[in-house]
Amino acid sequence: MDARSDFDVLICGGGLAGLTLARQLKLELPAVSVAVVDRLVSPLPEAAFKVGESAMEQAAYYYGQVLQLHDYFKRNHLLKLGLRFFFGDSHGPLEARPETGIDLWPPQPSYQIDRGRLENDLRQIVREMGVTLLEGTLVDDIVLARPGGGGRHRVDCRAKDGQARFSLTGRWVVDALGRRRLLQTKLGLKRPNGHQASAAWWRYAGRLDVDDMAVTAGPEWRRRNLEARYFSTNHLMGKGYWVWLIPLSSGATSLGIVTDETIHPRHTYGKSYADALRWLQQNEPVLWEYIRDLEPLDFLTYKNYSYGSAQVFSPQRWSCVGEAGFFLDPLYGIGGEFIALSNTLTVDMIRRDRASELSDEAVQTVDRFLLECIYATYLDFYLGSYRTFGHARIFTAKLLWDTALGWAWFYQLFVQGPLLRPTSEMFELGERYRQLNERMQNLFIDWAAMAPRHSTYLRADLTRMPFMQVLGLELKCRRNYQQTMDVARKNLDRFEELAQVLFWQAVAECYPDHPLLKARPWVNVWRMSLNPDTWAEGGVLEPASAPRPLDYMRGNFTGVFARQTWQEVLRYELPYRIMHWGRGFVFYRLIPIFTRLFFVNKPGLFGRRLMIRDYPPRPASGAGPRLSRADTSADQ
């Protein structure tokens, strides 16, 4: 053991959150002394280790740019071909199921992460940076310094064999102990969040390819995706559940079952691997047939894995990062995004503390913004939403909404920097996004409960959707605070338009004879519901803004809710096919030139104006130029 016992920062837990925090601290504050205490001893197993393999765009930016590990990830982990979903009849051929996924490698990289390999490598990396890594060491207790003073926190430790006991002290202490949640338990900060979901997962040695599951598919189906579906995070979707297949760079494949506990209780699949196979035989028999004779490398399970917290940052100079603070859901792989957020905020508070610029109010403001504006909005992505998973059309609309919101708001707050200094303007705007998202998620749930069960499409791709194209390009932009807020407000207007389109689509499917369907008036989507009896009293028909054209937002769903017209084929399908010509020559060779000219490391405002029209805000009173009925009717 290192003879030193006093450090600037003590990190309890050497998993992904703790190790990435240690690297970020040494990169940004190299003079800070850091110790990481962890119960495990290197080397960690590569193929059969922890869940959490799929990294989304924000987490990938954090790993690649903030932690300066871009080249490392390209060499040692697999690039991810986005998220891919299969819906419909799970007892029929896979190739006959409606599919939502992308054809080409996205411009913003994301990764399939082999957690064992990554954590092994991070341990070596942080050691070389000067971090003290105490392996095979258990944390018995964290004794916080008295409030209001400059005292040191104490971490009581013991060797894993129980022979040696010792204590470490530090000015800052970070709980990165995962689900043990030592500080949360000690301080009474644990909070339920209402999301009842469970999971079981395991790994197989070797490659499991969804294309191989399509046993009756011809070469046309296999060639329909220009890049191999294998590299996607593949999801098999049904009411109340999803099943993942994720490739790992070690050559293994991760497979998991995730369910709404109220629909598919964990005891039906999570007590053993044999139970999981029986559940798959009943619910996803094509996958069961494919894996039935394979031997798993491991088997892990959690019941009611989702939880919240009353606090994750304290003026007493402690923080909880990763799963030591809260955990929502593995869908979309947002665990890495919250590691990025909590780690970056922790590093900034330590930086400000060392410069004597950190106030109690500043810490409390950051804590409130993370929990009230970010965590709370993400939570609504999941509460009750597993009931939408069997509906191809509805979940594809939800996927667009959820992804767009993540790119337009959360990603931009993190990458552009406003997250570090939340303002009243950010709280106000964040609350507007949260409220609209809550209404939209409730609409998806009610829509799925009432709409006819049928699928009107066989294939959908977010890269064909105009709004997603703009937001994807804007991931490359670099903006100051005011530009970030201005574009966030413009995008909130775009989300209002998107909500108008989805609201009336839901009404049309659930109430096809409703008298307002012909006119489809502009509504107050912050008060929308799918119960017409509440519209008048609830203010749904009293919009707070003036109508705007909706053609642009309707164009995102061409081929999803109805078959494409010839005009839609020319306007949307033809450009999409041109991008795929020559195995993606236009997409891979020409689009990057446009991106570098107008978006990469630029505000991107001119490029945005080329692709989307942002209307000036106008109140419902009708101030400003009037739009024709043809502009505002969703029937045009």
Side-chain angles (χ1 to χ4, degrees):
M1 189 187 77
D2 194 296
R4 182 173 185 174
S5 63
D6 185 67
F7 298 86
D8 295 318
V9 183
L10 296 174
I11 301 174
C12 301
L16 183 57
L19 292 169
T20 52
L21 174 60
R23 175 166 174 82
Q24 189 174 0
L25 280 166
K26 297 303 286 186
L27 284 171
E28 299 186 25
L29 301 170
V32 167
S33 58
V34 180
V36 177
V37 184
D38 193 67
R39 63 182 180 85
L40 298 178
V41 178
S42 301
L44 308 175
E46 283 199 350
F49 191 48
K50 297 179 181 177
V51 72
E53 296 93 348
S54 182
M56 296 297 287
E57 290 77 14
Q58 182 177 304
Y61 175 88
Y62 175 69
Y63 300 141
Q65 304 305 315
V66 177
L67 299 184
Q68 301 176 23
L69 293 173
H70 174 72
D71 291 339
Y72 162 81
F73 273 95
K74 286 186 67 176
R75 289 192 308 267
N76 296 282
H77 300 272
L78 299 178
L79 280 173
K80 184 171 75 174
L81 191 67
L83 305 177
R84 185 172 309 279
F85 302 86
F86 295 91
F87 308 93
D89 180 13
S90 63
H91 288 72
L94 179 73
E95 58 272 25
R97 295 172 71 167
E99 177 183 357
T100 294
I102 63 176
D103 278 4
L104 299 168
W105 296 108
Q108 190 76 3
S110 58
Y111 308 102
Q112 308 287 22
I113 296 174
D114 191 317
R115 284 286 295 274
R117 176 170 294 184
L118 175 58
E119 293 187 22
N120 271 323
D121 293 342
L122 280 173
R123 287 178 182 233
Q124 183 61 32
I125 288 169
V126 299
R127 277 194 186 101
E128 293 173 356
M129 298 178 77
V131 172
T132 298
L133 180 59
L134 302 175
E135 295 188 313
T137 303
L138 302 175
V139 174
D140 281 336
D141 196 10
I142 298 175
V143 182
L144 298 174
R146 291 183 178 180
R152 316 292 279 182
H153 304 302
R154 190 182 82 235
V155 175
D156 295 333
C157 308
R158 61 186 165 94
K160 198 172 182 180
D161 59 14
Q163 298 302 311
R165 295 178 181 270
F166 60 94
S167 295
L168 305 173
T169 56
R171 178 167 177 80
W172 279 80
V173 66
V174 179
D175 186 348
L177 290 166
R179 291 176 175 270
R180 182 181 173 190
R181 304 171 73 196
L182 179 56
L183 278 180
Q184 297 279 311
T185 303
K186 187 182 181 79
L187 301 175
L189 299 174
K190 290 182 176 181
R191 296 293 185 274
N193 62 17
H195 179 39
Q196 299 181 62
S198 302
W201 65 95
W202 57 96
R203 291 166 179 79
Y204 297 111
R207 174 171 176 151
L208 272 63
D209 193 333
V210 292
D211 279 356
D212 295 337
M213 292 168 53
V215 293
T216 64
E220 181 180 351
W221 186 87
R222 298 177 187 275
R223 291 195 302 262
R224 190 170 67 180
N225 223 73
L226 291 182
E227 307 294 352
R229 291 178 176 89
Y230 169 76
F231 293 104
S232 296
T233 299
N234 289 289
H235 305 70
L236 308 180
M237 310 292 285
K239 182 180 179 181
Y241 75 85
W242 57 285
V243 177
W244 81 64
L245 292 94
I246 299 176
L248 302 176
S249 57
S250 60
T253 301
S254 172
L255 194 152
I257 300 169
V258 191
T259 68
D260 182 322
E261 182 69 18
T262 67
I263 301 174
H264 297 276
R266 188 187 63 155
H267 68 78
T268 61
Y269 63 87
K271 292 187 294 184
S272 68
Y273 176 65
D275 285 338
L277 278 186
R278 282 190 290 270
W279 188 93
L280 288 173
Q281 184 179 15
Q282 180 180 353
N283 292 280
E284 290 289 343
V286 174
L287 174 60
W288 170 79
E289 184 68 33
Y290 183 49
I291 66 171
R292 57 185 295 187
D293 296 324
L294 301 178
E295 290 294 328
L297 297 172
D298 60 347
F299 184 81
L300 299 169
T301 181
Y302 274 125
K303 180 178 180 179
N304 289 329
Y305 53 67
S306 190
Y307 50 84
S309 174
Q311 183 182 359
V312 290
F313 304 122
S314 170
Q316 287 182 258
R317 305 185 310 280
W318 60 259
S319 67
C320 301
V321 299
E323 294 183 19
F326 50 75
F327 183 79
L328 285 171
D329 199 276
L331 184 67
Y332 304 147
I334 64 167
E337 307 210 344
F338 278 110
I339 288 176
L341 291 170
S342 56
N343 280 2
T344 299
L345 290 168
T346 296
V347 170
D348 186 65
M349 285 186 285
I350 292 172
R351 177 189 293 110
R352 293 162 72 181
D353 176 54
R354 290 174 65 81
S356 301
E357 296 174 353
L358 184 65
S359 66
D360 290 2
E361 181 183 7
V363 177
Q364 292 160 357
T365 299
V366 167
D367 189 68
R368 281 184 52 227
F369 190 79
L370 180 63
L371 293 176
E372 296 176 11
C373 293
I374 300 181
Y375 167 85
T377 305
Y378 269 119
L379 175 59
D380 283 325
F381 285 3
Y382 305 108
L383 281 176
S385 291
Y386 274 52
R387 297 178 180 276
T388 70
F389 289 1
H391 293 261
R393 304 179 327 281
I394 298 170
F395 184 82
T396 296
K398 174 178 164 56
L399 177 66
L400 183 156
W401 178 275
D402 296 351
T403 307
L405 187 57
W407 288 3
W409 179 231
F410 300 124
Y411 182 97
Q412 296 296 334
L413 287 177
F414 178 72
V415 171
Q416 313 302 351
L419 176 73
L420 301 178
R421 304 290 189 278
T423 63
S424 58
E425 180 181 22
M426 290 167 58
F427 273 96
E428 178 268 331
L429 194 53
E431 179 62 11
R432 292 284 283 169
Y433 270 109
R434 188 200 66 77
Q435 290 176 355
L436 182 57
N437 178 65
E438 181 182 33
R439 290 286 180 170
M440 194 70 246
Q441 300 298 337
N442 287 335
L443 184 81
F444 289 137
I445 294 167
D446 294 341
W447 185 1
M450 300 171 63
R453 279 189 168 273
H454 65 84
S455 299
T456 59
Y457 77 101
L458 289 177
R459 183 70 181 271
D461 187 337
L462 294 188
T463 64
R464 187 170 58 189
M465 300 178 177
F467 191 39
M468 296 305 301
Q469 292 169 2
V470 173
L471 295 180
L473 290 170
E474 289 189 328
L475 298 180
K476 302 284 189 179
C477 292
R478 297 299 174 264
R479 295 170 174 150
N480 61 32
Y481 171 83
Q482 198 54 58
Q483 290 167 338
T484 302
M485 291 300 104
D486 288 346
V487 174
R489 289 190 183 277
K490 294 178 188 298
N491 280 332
L492 184 59
D493 289 340
R494 305 294 76 77
F495 279 99
E496 182 185 17
E497 294 157 13
L498 182 58
Q500 301 279 343
V501 171
L502 293 174
F503 172 76
W504 284 114
Q505 179 65 34
V507 173
E509 291 188 19
C510 299
Y511 304 100
D513 300 321
H514 196 280
L516 286 180
L517 272 175
K518 185 174 182 180
R520 299 194 181 193
W522 189 267
V523 297
N524 188 335
V525 291
W526 275 269
R527 297 184 177 180
M528 65 181 167
S529 78
L530 207 46
N531 181 359
D533 294 339
T534 68
W535 289 357
E537 182 179 346
V540 177
L541 303 178
E542 300 174 4
S545 61
R548 298 185 293 273
L550 296 177
D551 277 349
Y552 180 86
M553 283 304 167
R554 278 197 303 274
N556 290 286
F557 301 103
T558 173
V560 174
F561 296 131
R563 294 188 180 277
Q564 289 180 318
T565 65
W566 68 266
Q567 295 98 328
E568 290 174 330
V569 170
L570 291 177
R571 184 173 178 182
Y572 302 107
E573 190 68 20
L574 183 58
Y576 176 76
R577 293 301 169 192
I578 290 173
M579 285 198 298
H580 291 67
W581 174 79
R583 292 204 59 81
F585 175 82
V586 174
F587 186 81
Y588 289 141
R589 302 293 183 182
L590 302 184
I591 297 299
I593 297 174
F594 173 79
T595 305
R596 286 194 297 272
L597 285 174
F598 297 110
F599 292 94
V600 176
N601 296 326
K602 300 178 177 67
L605 303 179
F606 178 72
R608 180 184 175 90
R609 286 193 290 270
L610 293 176
M611 300 184 67
I612 188 172
R613 183 173 179 183
D614 290 312
Y615 296 88
R618 293 184 293 117
S621 60
R626 294 177 61 84
L627 300 174
S628 69
R629 183 176 181 82
D631 283 332
T632 60
S633 172
D635 291 325
Q636 297 299 312

